[in-house]
Amino acid sequence: MLGLGKKDFTLFLAVAAITLLAPFILNPFPTGSGLAQFNAGYPDLMQRFVIYGIFAIGFNILFGLTGYLSFGHAAFLGLGSYSAVWMFKLLSMNVIPALILSVIVAGLFALVIGYISLRRSGIYFSILTLAFAQMAYALAYSVLTPLTNGETGLQLTLDDPRVLDGGGRPTSLPVTELFGMEMRDTASLGLGAWDFTFGVGFYFCAVVMLISFYLAIRIFRSPFGMMLRAVKSNQQRMNYTGLNTRPYTLAAFVISGMYAGLAGGLLACMDPLAGAERMQWTASGEVVLMTILGGAGTLIGPILGAGMIKYFENIFSKINDAVLHQWFAALPDGLEDFLVTIIHPFIGKGWHLTLGLMFMAVVIFLPGGLVEGGQRVGRLFRRRDRKAGGAEAQAAEQRRTPAE
Amino acid sequence: MGILEVKGVNKRFGGLQALGDVNLSVAEHTVHAIIGPNGAGKSTLLNVLVGKLIPDSGSVMFDGKSVLGRKPHEINQMGISRVFQTPEIFADLTVLENVMIPCFARRDGAFRMHAFESVAREGDILGQAETMLADVNMLDKAHAHAGSLSRGDKRRLEMAMCLVQEPKLLLLDEPTAGMARADTNNTIDLLKEIKDKRPITMCIIEHDMHVVFSLAERITVLAQGTPLIEDTPDNIKGHPKVREAYLGEAQV
């Protein structure tokens, strides 16, 4: 279906279903209950899940397939945001032209940066990309202030020309829209104790992510994708097989840069301002974490990793001591204080600590990321089934394996 | 005129004359062995042939065209494939994918942006790769991880990857180095089979005299970077100059 194999198509459908039903799935706890703070089903956060999902999907095409670890992809994210905001200022509040420009600008910069950085591999490549990203950050922060509005960040103003939207000077700042549908519009649905919110912005981002994911699956299963995996495996053999590795890696770099630009553009579509901090090395590092946490080189891993990190960032950081006291209120006072003291460093502002420990655990015990974890659990269940079903199931398993 | 013509090639590394005035002519559809003691310049010569090293002077013509200054992938596209001393394969890919990649390289050239086609629909390429694997008796391992193969199978796979490109010239760099006798004999049989099945020119660099005398039709003896003698195996056997070069260490 859609040019995908049966397995991939099922995966795609599953991701599509989960994404589109996210407002329900991520809101499992009734509003007002003690656990409601673990709900992530509000548009603002869900948008971030899918946008960073796009960023990580693209990064995975470079890092997961070719093994080239770029440490400067946030530069393309930032470029995408700046381009989109400029489009809002000059042309129209419609998000389509903004996204198109984001992708093109990020792609062009990726072509130049990739052409230079890919002359080296391994750690030297990573350092080169990091250097480029930090230069971009410094330029955006100070030197190029007329273009980027320096540390304040690029914003919409009342006297922007906006050639297409034209007509009369607005009295309030306009909002981003898609042919009349405002991105910030939401609809609510109350079901018993639950409240569900559906945002136009989230659904727009979700559709863009699904398209990006679909394209990524096609790339993974194409001869081009196979060549990229071959680059990771053995460049020497590539060359002696008559293949020029440079254009393959450059194409992968540009594609992943365009994904990053698209993600940056979407961030600006959801909230039309762009700041230099979006290009900082921490942002580049974050996408590396997302990809590795989820499982580099796997289709679904980067999306899982992006969701996981953004969830921790937004939900764990909101838990504070008062909340903890509430949870452990039933315990004797001494024990309650003791537990709160122990857990305190890992929550609130300390959420990085939790994330760091989790990341270490994944790298050490599950080098294949969360996806490998899932596979192991799956295998465990299958093995149990086999024990129960005896020789028959075992034979079936053996028949299945070569076909996979 | 041979398919490969090396004329007056010199290569110096600092004070060491690695190759001194090397002339070599490999005739089409023959198996030509290059032998010589350690440090004779065999590997340097091979690296010149595949574009990894550029000689200080001299010319290397393949099929009427110069290979000098061309990159390894360009030289491969001209029709020279190389088998390495330790098998160079794509260890992270499956055996079938390993053989499909050279098929793509042959059909699409050094680079093609086929990002939205599906590998599963490349019937021709799949067919070619499977036929090749059947030829080297590896079809049953087609979906195995190449990295998990035994050393002998890795060697077979690497040969298959080279042969599926139907190269005009196959360069083999000590294909049996470090192998057990049984594996060596298997490799000899495989190479003999290849030679009988298709019109191919082979150039073998080898230490093992058993391999050389089982396969070669012409032998060039290299010593201290210079060809000492070039003749048929029968004439090379027991030639006083060859004995001298090896200082009696080999049973020639």
Side-chain angles (χ1 to χ4, degrees), chain B residues 1-11 19 21-26 34 41-71 74-76 78 80 169 171 203:
Chain B
M1 229 354 226
I3 187 161
L4 181 72
E5 292 282 340
V6 178
K7 286 213 177 80
V9 164
N10 283 283
K11 180 75 195 176
L19 293 176
D21 196 30
V22 173
N23 294 299
L24 177 72
S25 173
V26 177
I34 298 169
K42 302 186 296 291
S43 295
T44 311
L45 179 60
L46 191 89
N47 282 332
V48 166
L49 299 184
V50 294
K52 206 173 175 189
L53 285 176
I54 296 174
D56 302 332
S57 62
S59 75
V60 179
M61 302 291 281
F62 173 71
D63 214 8
K65 280 172 270 179
S66 172
V67 306
L68 296 185
R70 286 182 208 252
K71 298 208 174 93
E74 293 168 326
I75 292 179
N76 176 278
M78 289 167 74
I80 301 183
L169 173 66
L171 295 174
C203 192

Side-chain angles (χ1 to χ4, degrees), chain A residues 14 46 93 105 117 151 167 218 247 279 314 318 320 335:
Chain A
M46 289 190 298
M93 289 308 287
V105 170
S117 305
E151 35 184 318
R218 292 294 298 263
M279 296 181 156
N314 287 278
K318 263 193 247 155
N320 54 28
L335 191 59

Side-chain angles (χ1 to χ4, degrees), chain A residues 135-342:
Chain A
M135 283 197 283
Y137 168 69
L139 284 175
Y141 197 78
S142 55
V143 184
L144 291 180
T145 300
L147 267 175
T148 63
N149 203 18
E151 35 184 318
T152 328
L154 193 61
Q155 299 167 342
L156 301 180
T157 57
L158 288 176
D159 48 0
D160 286 331
R162 251 187 298 283
V163 184
L164 286 185
D165 291 355
R169 186 144 291 193
T171 48
S172 64
L173 283 178
V175 292
T176 51
E177 45 88 28
L178 176 71
F179 306 115
M181 283 187 290
E182 290 187 4
M183 285 296 142
R184 60 175 189 188
D185 249 9
T186 56
S188 297
L189 173 70
L191 276 180
W194 284 268
D195 284 313
F196 301 106
T197 321
F198 309 90
V200 173
F202 164 69
Y203 276 99
F204 177 70
C205 294
V207 169
V208 175
M209 189 206 74
L210 289 174
I211 296 170
S212 313
F213 183 54
Y214 170 74
L215 294 179
I217 302 180
R218 292 294 298 263
I219 291 174
F220 265 64
R221 300 292 180 239
S222 70
F224 175 74
M226 195 200 268
M227 294 300 174
L228 296 184
R229 284 186 295 135
V231 168
K232 183 179 185 177
S233 191
N234 192 337
Q235 291 218 24
Q236 165 121 306
R237 183 31 92 195
M238 275 293 262
N239 284 324
Y240 286 99
T241 304
L243 293 159
N244 193 357
T245 50
R246 190 73 66 78
Y248 280 108
T249 48
L250 184 59
F253 192 89
V254 171
I255 291 172
S256 73
M258 287 162 81
Y259 268 82
L262 178 65
L266 278 173
L267 282 176
C269 291
M270 297 304 114
D271 182 13
L273 65 98
E277 75 289 337
R278 208 163 268 174
M279 296 181 156
Q280 226 174 346
W281 67 271
T282 46
S284 300
E286 199 179 51
V287 74
V288 179
L289 290 189
M290 287 171 180
T291 311
I292 293 177
L293 189 66
T298 62
L299 281 169
I300 186 88
I303 306 177
L304 289 179
M308 192 90 177
I309 288 187
K310 285 292 151 193
Y311 185 80
F312 266 75
E313 183 184 301
N314 287 278
I315 303 295
F316 255 68
S317 60
K318 263 193 247 155
I319 306 172
N320 54 28
D321 283 5
V323 176
L324 283 182
H325 278 291
Q326 219 178 328
W327 288 356
F328 300 124
L331 298 171
D333 271 359
L335 191 59
E336 180 188 329
D337 289 340
F338 176 71
L339 278 177
V340 170
T341 319
I342 294 282

Side-chain angles (χ1 to χ4, degrees), chain B residues 14 36 38 60 83 131 150 158-159 165 171-172 176 179 182 193 197 200 207 219 239 241:
Chain B
N38 278 327
V60 179
V83 170
T131 312
S150 70
E158 194 190 26
M159 299 259 189
Q165 295 192 304
L171 295 174
L172 300 116
T176 64
M179 271 191 193
E193 225 181 284
K197 265 193 199 163
I200 190 169
H207 258 316
I219 296 178
H239 195 287
K241 265 187 166 178

